[in-house]
């Protein structure tokens, strides 16, 4: 009987699915407007962050980026695949962002390289 129980426990552990590619918060879905960037970088006087929109389409694991202004604040126009793990997304180029959602506000925090001093970037978005 002990052998059957041990075999059952082993099979149960190995048959569990691994959902590392799933983002825990489906509230990312929808369109977001960039409102602010916090970083060690310079901006032109009165930057128009709101000309950048991102749309999460979780059913396809895509982010669509639309820039209508003079600058590409977050990414170039296009559709980018992403994967996720908990409250972190990783885009197809390997850049990762932690995300926090509070009400209608989304914060995307670039997961920086610890050995580089000034690569911290925090993007703030509001839901449309």
């Amino acid at each position: 009987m002990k052998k059957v129980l041990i075999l059952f426990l082993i099979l149960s552990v190995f048959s569990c699915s691994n959902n590392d590619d799933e983002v825990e918060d489906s509230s990312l879905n929808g369109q977001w407007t960039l409102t602010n960037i916090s970083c060690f970088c310079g901006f032109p006087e009165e930057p128009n962050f709101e000309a950048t929109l991102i749309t999460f389409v979780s059913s396809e694991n895509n982010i669509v980026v639309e820039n209508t202004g003079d600058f590409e604040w977050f990414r170039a126009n296009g559709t980018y695949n992403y994967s996720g793990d908990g409250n972190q997304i990783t885009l197809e180029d390997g850049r990762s962002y932690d995300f926090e959602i509070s009400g209608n506000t989304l914060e995307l925090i670039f997961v920086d390289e610890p050995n580089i001093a000034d690569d911290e970037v925090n993007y703030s978005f509001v839901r449309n």
Side-chain angles (χ1 to χ4, degrees):
M1 183 66 176
K2 285 183 181 180
K3 290 180 183 180
V4 172
L5 181 59
I6 291 172
L7 181 60
F8 175 75
L9 289 173
I10 290 171
L11 289 175
S12 295
V13 168
F14 287 108
S15 67
C16 293
S17 65
N18 187 351
N19 294 330
D20 285 345
D21 291 338
E22 294 182 15
V23 177
E24 288 180 3
D25 199 332
S26 64
S27 61
L28 281 171
N29 278 329
Q31 190 175 64
W32 301 84
T33 300
L34 184 63
T35 57
N36 193 29
I37 300 174
S38 175
C39 63
F40 295 106
C41 44
F43 298 115
E45 198 169 309
E46 298 184 35
N48 182 14
F49 296 128
E50 295 178 357
T52 298
L53 304 173
I54 62 172
T55 304
F56 281 90
V57 184
S58 66
S59 63
E60 300 174 15
N61 286 344
N62 287 335
I63 300 175
V64 179
V65 178
E66 301 171 65
N67 296 296
T68 58
D70 295 332
F71 297 97
E72 297 172 344
W73 297 112
F74 179 66
R75 298 231 163 231
N77 288 331
T79 301
Y80 300 89
N81 292 319
Y82 71 89
S83 60
D85 185 12
N87 282 7
Q88 187 174 93
I89 60 170
T90 301
L91 299 183
E92 57 196 24
D93 66 358
R95 289 185 181 195
S96 295
Y97 300 86
D98 290 330
F99 69 88
E100 299 171 5
I101 297 174
S102 177
N104 286 330
T105 302
L106 166 65
E107 300 290 328
L108 287 178
I109 302 105
F110 177 65
V111 179
D112 66 331
E113 169 60 44
N115 296 326
I116 300 175
D118 293 339
D119 68 338
E120 296 87 7
V121 181
N122 183 2
Y123 299 92
S124 298
F125 296 86
V126 66
R127 184 182 299 279
N128 291 350

